[in-house]
Amino acid sequence: MHLPFIPDKTFKNEDFTINSLQKGEYDNCSFINCNFNASYLSISTFLECEFIDCDLSNSKTSDTTFKDVTFKNCKLLGVLFNDCNQLLMSITFKSCQLNFASFYQVKLVNTQFDKCTFDKTELTEANFSKSIFNACDFKHAVFFNTNVEHASFLTSYNYSINPENNKIKGAKFSKAEIHGLLDSYKIHIS
């Protein structure tokens, strides 16, 4: 199946819940203040694109390719990143809501997350080694068999990462949030 190639286009204030985004290969495109809530993005490819102030909550991402894509101030509630095409996946997140999303078995090595929320987000068996989590809130996020080796959580908070069930060698954590590594031991820290 040959998809249309759409280069260097800006989509602004579009509601793709009414008129669906055309399946295609989007290269160097910008999506600004667009609504993709529960939309089908499946099979489409986004190369060097940016999404700014968009709502992609519950969008369908089966075999969607995100390569060198930036999400800024976007709602990505319930997005299943594990359904995306994992080959060459590279994404940057800035001030995004990633609550209830799933990164199950996703490999996002050396990825930048700035001021994002991960409430009840599935991070099981994912690889976030060498990633930077700057001022991120991990309230109720699930880390299990997750690789965060050499990742930085220095300014992040509300995480609960069991060192026995996750790879954390070389990861950086702040003293103020050290209890997030000890929650599973049911001890009191003052």
Side-chain angles (χ1 to χ4, degrees), residues 128-147:
F128 293 109
S129 58
K130 300 178 185 171
S131 292
I132 297 172
F133 297 96
N134 180 39
C136 293
D137 184 354
F138 287 95
K139 185 177 182 182
H140 305 297
V142 179
F143 289 89
F144 186 77
N145 287 337
T146 306
N147 184 345

Side-chain angles (χ1 to χ4, degrees), residues 14 16-17 21 31-42 46 50-61 64 66 69-81 84 91 93 96-99 101:
E14 297 279 345
F16 294 112
T17 64
L21 180 69
F31 299 88
I32 302 167
N33 197 36
C34 294
N35 185 3
F36 295 91
N37 194 307
S39 294
Y40 287 88
L41 300 178
S42 301
F46 299 93
E50 63 179 358
F51 293 81
I52 302 170
D53 298 318
C54 293
D55 183 356
L56 293 100
S57 298
N58 298 309
S59 57
K60 310 304 181 247
T61 55
T64 303
F66 292 115
V69 170
T70 299
F71 291 100
K72 295 179 187 171
N73 199 35
C74 291
K75 288 172 85 174
L76 297 139
L77 310 177
V79 173
L80 304 177
F81 289 96
C84 296
I91 307 173
F93 298 94
C96 291
Q97 296 177 36
L98 294 160
N99 307 336

Side-chain angles (χ1 to χ4, degrees), residues 5-10 25-29:
F5 180 71
I6 300 108
D8 307 314
K9 188 169 180 183
T10 297
E25 184 175 317
Y26 295 85
D27 187 4
N28 197 38
C29 292

Side-chain angles (χ1 to χ4, degrees), residues 2 8 18 24 41 44 52 66 110 116 127 138 145 148 153 158 166 168-169 173 184:
H2 184 69
D8 307 314
I18 297 170
L41 300 178
S44 289
I52 302 170
F66 292 115
N110 204 22
C116 296
N127 185 348
F138 287 95
N145 287 337
V148 292
F153 291 85
N158 290 330
N166 296 282
I168 66 168
K169 183 179 179 182
F173 301 93
S184 62

Side-chain angles (χ1 to χ4, degrees), residues 76-134:
L76 297 139
L77 310 177
V79 173
L80 304 177
F81 289 96
N82 49 299
D83 282 350
C84 296
N85 180 350
Q86 301 298 307
L87 188 64
L88 304 174
M89 184 183 216
S90 58
I91 307 173
T92 299
F93 298 94
K94 297 178 180 181
S95 300
C96 291
Q97 296 177 36
L98 294 160
N99 307 336
F100 305 101
S102 177
F103 290 92
Y104 176 70
Q105 294 185 335
V106 170
K107 184 178 179 182
L108 281 173
V109 174
N110 204 22
T111 299
Q112 182 80 29
F113 296 87
D114 285 317
K115 299 177 184 169
C116 296
T117 59
F118 290 86
D119 189 14
K120 296 182 178 79
T121 301
E122 176 71 43
L123 303 163
T124 300
E125 296 182 23
N127 185 348
F128 293 109
S129 58
K130 300 178 185 171
S131 292
I132 297 172
F133 297 96
N134 180 39

